[in-house]
């Protein structure tokens, strides 16, 4: 390699560092008492702090105890997709001292693969819509799909409906809908990890947009997922708030206050003062795999801010013995960074989760065995 190209490469890498420095985000590798975090043991302590800050200031506290869950298969299709897969619709029933709620999910399992890895996919569309399931199962993955509105309506209805009603919170740090959807995914995970026909070591959680935020929160809180895929999750998802284009904290709090906890409102217009930034959520996924997908024309989500969060968590991965994001330059349209435990791609086009994204997610999973 010539001297000139070595220099070009160095400049391109340096551009990432410079762009990230401009954001002035809070440090990940320092405890609140200022102790530098330089070992996996100290990271565990820092992890607990981050876990606490994110719940208190952004998403609200998710319940940790006090419920019972049961699952019942309510429908079965032995020969789905012309016999290539079987499908089961399973009802999740959750009970706490305050009552009982339920929602369905659908598990599609390919017959061509022994112990398939799984995508736990939270979707906008109802279970009756076929979505991408046939293509995913043809690729040898099982899919557990749940429609988010079946868990709890996407409305400002307080704690009236869905799992929120089992654990109503307060107006400050009570859980918002993202927390409710994320926590409910973990109740599906409780079922999946017991399912011996599946590869329970390789269960990914995936969602797009508000459901990308949900998938990130779920995978940040629940360490049983081997991979977390946040597609175009933007503000309140994988994008840094500081220096972000498009949607800001104030937009979220005006349009979707009920997705978050009440405390987030304190930070509207004050991103620079936030005691966290979204790389905190991404860091909780380490050392497991994290994949952030962006689209070049999705200014509202701001893929550069998503990319920079991936870069910001890389030192945590390195501390834990993994490569984080392996990228040699700021992302250009069409770039795919699949080398490290943090994956990223920048698809051309607008806000959407489609077959081009799925193809890359599946490639990444096959490459890393997660
Ligand atoms: C709105 C919202 C975003 C969200 C998106 C979606 O655009 O502002 O934060 O990601 O809806 O979920 O479709």
């Amino acid at each position: 390699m010539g001297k000139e190209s070595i220099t070009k490469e160095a400049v391109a890498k340096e551009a990432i560092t410079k762009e990230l420095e401009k954001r002035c985000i809070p440090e990940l590798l320092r405890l609140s008492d200022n102790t530098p975090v330089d070992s996996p043991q100290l990271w565990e302590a820092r992890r607990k702090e981050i876990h606490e800050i994110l719940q208190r200031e952004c998403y609200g506290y998710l319940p940790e105890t006090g419920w019972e869950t049961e699952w019942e298969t309510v429908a079965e299709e032995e020969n789905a997709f012309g016999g290539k897969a079987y499908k089961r619709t399973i009802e999740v029933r959750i009970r706490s001292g305050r009552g009982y709620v339920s929602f369905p999910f659908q598990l599609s399992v390919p017959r061509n693969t022994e112990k398939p890895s799984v995508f736990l996919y939270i979707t906008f569309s109802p279970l009756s819509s076929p979505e991408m399931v046939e293509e995913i199962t043809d690729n040898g993955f099982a899919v557990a799909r749940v429609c988010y509105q079946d868990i709890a309506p996407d409305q400002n209805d307080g704690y009236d409906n869905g799992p929120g009603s089992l654990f109503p919170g307060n107006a400050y740090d009570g859980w918002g809908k993202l927390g409710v959807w994320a926590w409910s995914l973990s109740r599906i995970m409780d079922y999946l990890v017991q399912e011996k026909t599946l590869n329970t070591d390789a269960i990914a959680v995936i969602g797009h947009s508000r459901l990308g935020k949900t998938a990130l929160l779920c995978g940040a809180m629940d360490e049983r997922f081997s991979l977390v895929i946040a597609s175009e999750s933007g503000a309140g998802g994988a994008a840094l708030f500081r220096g972000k284009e498009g949607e800001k904290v104030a937009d979220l709090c005006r349009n979707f206050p009920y997705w978050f906890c009440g405390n987030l409102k304190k930070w509207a217009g004050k991103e620079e003062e936030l005691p966290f930034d979204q790389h905190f959520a991404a860091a909780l996924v380490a050392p497991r795999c994290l994949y952030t997908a962006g689209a070049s024309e999705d200014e509202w989500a701001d893929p550069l801010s998503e990319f920079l969060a991936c870069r910001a968590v890389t030192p945590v991965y390195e501390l834990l013995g993994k490569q984080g994001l392996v990228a040699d330059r700021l992302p250009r349209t069409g770039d795919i960074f699949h080398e490290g435990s943090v994956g990223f791609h920048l698809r051309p086009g607008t806000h959407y989760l489609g077959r081009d994204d799925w193809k890359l997610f599946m490639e990444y999973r096959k490459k890393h065995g997660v």
Side-chain angles (χ1 to χ4, degrees):
M1 198 183 284
K3 215 176 182 180
E4 200 180 311
S5 59
I6 295 177
T7 322
K8 262 195 187 163
E9 246 180 52
V11 170
K13 271 201 173 165
E14 181 66 15
I16 306 179
T17 314
K18 282 197 177 143
E19 201 56 44
L20 189 57
E21 278 170 7
K22 278 197 229 156
R23 303 296 177 107
C24 297
I25 50 176
E27 268 189 75
L28 284 171
L29 294 180
R30 193 170 287 277
L31 288 168
S32 52
D33 69 4
N34 234 7
T35 310
V37 174
D38 55 7
S39 68
Q41 291 69 26
L42 280 175
W43 171 250
E44 266 317 298
R46 179 62 174 147
R47 199 178 186 282
K48 288 202 179 78
E49 288 184 355
I50 291 176
H51 194 261
E52 170 73 18
I53 296 171
L54 281 176
Q55 291 186 91
R56 190 183 65 227
E57 302 294 338
C58 187
Y59 300 107
Y61 287 96
L62 274 53
E64 289 183 353
T65 52
W67 70 87
E68 278 169 22
T69 314
E70 359 174 294
W71 304 268
E72 192 192 338
T73 302
V74 291
E76 267 179 296
E77 195 181 331
E78 277 306 311
N79 290 310
F81 311 128
K84 291 187 289 182
Y86 65 84
K87 263 191 201 178
R88 273 185 224 151
T89 306
I90 296 149
E91 195 169 87
V92 182
R93 300 185 182 137
I94 311 170
R95 191 182 300 280
S96 83
R98 287 183 174 263
Y100 151 91
V101 298
S102 69
F103 58 85
F105 76 96
Q106 196 176 63
L107 179 64
S108 304
V109 183
R111 294 195 186 280
N112 65 4
T113 311
E114 213 184 303
K115 282 198 171 256
S117 304
V118 188
F119 283 101
L120 174 48
Y121 178 26
I122 182 162
T123 66
F124 288 93
S125 41
L127 292 184
S128 56
S129 113
E131 283 239 357
M132 285 285 299
V133 175
E134 184 176 0
E135 282 186 66
I136 304 168
T137 51
D138 280 355
N139 271 280
F141 292 96
V143 187
R145 199 159 59 101
V146 62
C147 171
Y148 82 129
Q149 299 259 21
D150 284 343
I151 298 173
D154 190 354
Q155 285 164 15
N156 202 352
D157 56 357
Y159 295 106
D160 287 351
N161 298 298
S165 65
L166 302 179
F167 300 96
N170 64 40
Y172 307 99
D173 58 20
W175 55 340
K177 281 281 162 80
L178 295 180
V180 170
W181 295 320
W183 182 88
S184 301
L185 289 175
S186 287
R187 305 294 65 83
I188 298 177
M189 185 63 164
D190 296 340
Y191 174 94
L192 296 175
V193 291
Q194 294 178 45
E195 189 52 67
K196 297 285 173 268
T197 54
L198 303 173
N199 179 0
T200 52
D201 293 329
I203 304 181
V205 60
I206 171 167
H208 171 68
S209 207
R210 70 198 66 183
L211 304 179
K213 307 182 210 299
T214 302
L216 177 61
L217 174 59
C218 171
M221 307 297 288
D222 186 336
E223 296 183 67
R224 295 172 296 177
F225 291 95
S226 60
L227 167 66
V228 178
I229 307 177
S231 163
E232 298 165 27
S233 57
L240 295 176
F241 277 125
R242 286 171 175 77
K244 186 183 178 302
E245 299 294 332
E247 190 168 37
K248 309 277 194 294
V249 174
D251 299 303
L252 287 173
C253 294
R254 186 175 52 251
N255 300 323
F256 306 102
Y258 59 95
W259 286 357
F260 299 90
C261 71
N263 279 342
L264 187 65
K265 285 192 208 82
K266 290 188 303 194
W267 309 108
K270 294 187 187 161
E271 275 82 359
E272 312 314 315
E273 292 169 43
L274 276 170
F276 65 95
D277 209 318
Q278 290 305 110
H279 61 316
F280 276 35
L284 292 185
V285 179
R288 296 165 294 136
C289 287
L290 169 68
Y291 195 124
T292 296
S296 60
E297 292 172 51
D298 189 7
E299 287 104 15
W300 190 239
D302 187 4
L304 176 61
S305 294
E306 294 174 336
F307 173 86
L308 291 174
C310 293
R311 179 68 193 80
V313 297
T314 292
V316 177
Y317 279 84
E318 288 170 352
L319 181 68
L320 302 176
K322 299 271 172 161
Q323 278 186 307
L325 178 73
V326 179
D328 50 6
R329 60 172 187 219
L330 287 168
R332 295 184 200 150
T333 304
D335 272 349
I336 298 161
F337 299 123
H338 273 188
E339 276 314 304
S341 298
V342 180
F344 178 88
H345 72 245
L346 184 59
R347 179 179 47 69
T350 55
H351 191 67
Y352 179 64
L353 168 57
R355 63 181 72 228
D356 299 330
D357 302 293
W358 275 102
K359 189 175 154 273
L360 291 170
F361 299 147
M362 291 190 281
E363 270 177 31
Y364 183 87
R365 294 196 73 173
K366 286 180 183 169
K367 182 180 171 83
H368 289 270
V370 288

